[in-house]
Amino acid sequence: MMSDEECLQDLFTDPWRPPTPEATFARYFCHEDESEVAIRLVGSHPLWGHHLWNASVAVAEYLESNGDLVRGRFTLELGAGGGLPGIVSAKIGAEKVVLTDYPDQELVDNLTYNVDHNVSLADRKKVDVQGYVWGHKVHDLLAALPPTRESWRAFDLIILSDLVFNHSQHDALLRTCELCLTPPSGQYHELPLNKPAPCVLVFYTHHRPHLAHRDLDFFNKARRQGWICEEIVNRKFPPMFPDDPGDEEVRSTVHGWKLVRSLSKVQTAVA
């Protein structure tokens, strides 16, 4: 017969749970400085931070091929996960990079780890890691930018990598982009003619093909809010989740879009 102490121990013992998987690493070769970027991914996470998404790789490669979007400029990455595009931005020569993800300590600590282990000591001061909830106040994001910047200037590039499948968050994402992107040349300032217009890069895959129309609602909403949307990339990758249902061709394709602000929208806002 069990003792009273043994009975109590049995009563209050938590049910068995499998151990949290160990962190894994995904590797990317950065041609800019011919270095390997080792992205640590959390072992498991309900916010999908344990994957290096195909879209992140596609963004990083696009930035390496279009370095003028980044060099000497301010970059913000939302929902950064392992932070590959933002880290590549720092390597390419961004003046400032702000990497953000949901303010979960495990995610933020992992982002910080990846910056510390992949960005040179000289460039590390150019990279800031923050927890941020989409659609909320952006004061802390903008406060990370150099205080000597022009008063009207915010981020020149905002990166959204595989976020549009969060259908309930489309409005919040667009609100943050609206508040954080440097406005185009207009009534109060003129951007340098030799620089690309400030833009948002939105890369994604239709991981659930039957909901592709809901992914694309992001761009419908953006257009109604005065954004000019243009598809710039269409690339095939191995599918992220091979056993998932739906057309594998659709699930293997990364789409990349560029969003810029309509000047007429900006002029209306400041009138």
Side-chain angles (χ1 to χ4, degrees):
M1 182 175 178
M2 289 188 295
S3 68
D4 290 344
E5 181 178 349
E6 288 172 326
C7 289
L8 287 172
Q9 287 175 347
D10 186 60
L11 180 63
F12 291 105
T13 298
D14 287 336
W16 181 86
R17 295 183 179 87
T20 300
E22 293 291 324
T24 60
F25 284 84
R27 303 185 186 278
Y28 173 88
F29 184 78
C30 181
H31 294 86
E32 178 71 20
D33 60 1
E34 298 188 335
S35 68
E36 183 181 76
V37 180
I39 297 295
R40 189 177 75 172
L41 304 166
V42 295
S44 179
H45 202 279
L47 298 179
W48 306 93
H50 52 298
H51 293 290
L52 180 65
W53 300 88
N54 289 338
S56 293
V57 176
V59 173
E61 292 178 348
Y62 182 80
L63 293 177
E64 288 206 72
S65 299
N66 297 271
D68 54 345
L69 291 173
V70 174
R71 291 189 186 95
R73 311 188 88 198
F74 304 151
T75 299
L76 169 67
E77 185 173 3
L78 300 176
L84 175 63
I87 288 169
V88 169
S89 295
K91 286 176 164 289
I92 291 173
E95 183 177 345
K96 186 70 181 183
V97 177
V98 178
L99 289 168
T100 72
D101 210 323
Y102 187 80
D104 171 271
Q105 198 60 49
E106 185 179 14
L107 292 178
V108 174
D109 288 349
N110 192 65
L111 260 179
T112 301
Y113 174 95
N114 284 333
V115 170
D116 289 344
H117 287 77
N118 289 289
V119 179
S120 71
L121 191 61
D123 288 337
R124 213 168 294 164
K125 62 182 181 297
K126 300 178 182 178
V127 183
D128 192 66
V129 174
Q130 295 188 27
Y132 175 71
V133 177
W134 306 329
H136 285 215
K137 293 180 179 179
V138 300
H139 174 270
D140 289 346
L141 304 180
L142 296 174
L145 294 176
T148 54
R149 76 183 194 281
E150 299 89 338
S151 60
W152 46 264
R153 189 177 176 194
F155 290 95
D156 306 299
L157 173 66
I158 301 177
I159 300 168
L160 279 62
S161 175
D162 243 332
L163 303 184
V164 299
F165 73 87
N166 295 285
H167 303 143
S168 66
Q169 298 302 307
H170 287 178
D171 289 327
L173 287 165
L174 286 167
R175 174 170 173 75
T176 296
C177 292
E178 172 91 25
L179 294 173
C180 285
L181 191 69
T182 297
S185 296
Q187 185 173 354
Y188 298 122
H189 69 278
E190 293 295 331
L191 295 173
L193 295 176
N194 61 340
K195 295 285 187 181
C199 68
V200 180
L201 294 182
V202 183
F203 280 52
Y204 65 93
T205 293
H206 295 303
H207 296 290
R208 299 168 292 179
H210 67 290
L211 295 177
H213 64 288
R214 295 194 61 191
D215 297 340
L216 294 173
D217 276 345
F218 178 86
F219 303 102
N220 295 330
K221 289 183 176 183
R223 290 186 182 98
R224 289 196 295 269
Q225 295 179 25
W227 295 89
I228 300 170
C229 307
E230 174 193 7
E231 186 167 9
I232 54 174
V233 168
N234 186 297
R235 287 186 56 190
K236 297 295 188 295
F237 284 80
M240 290 284 303
F241 309 104
D243 297 328
D244 277 7
D247 188 332
E248 185 171 296
E249 180 82 3
V250 175
R251 294 185 292 108
S252 301
T253 303
V254 171
H255 304 269
W257 290 64
K258 180 188 289 187
L259 277 61
V260 298
R261 297 297 287 142
S262 165
L263 179 57
S264 61
K265 171 73 174 179
V266 174
Q267 288 174 333
T268 301
V270 300

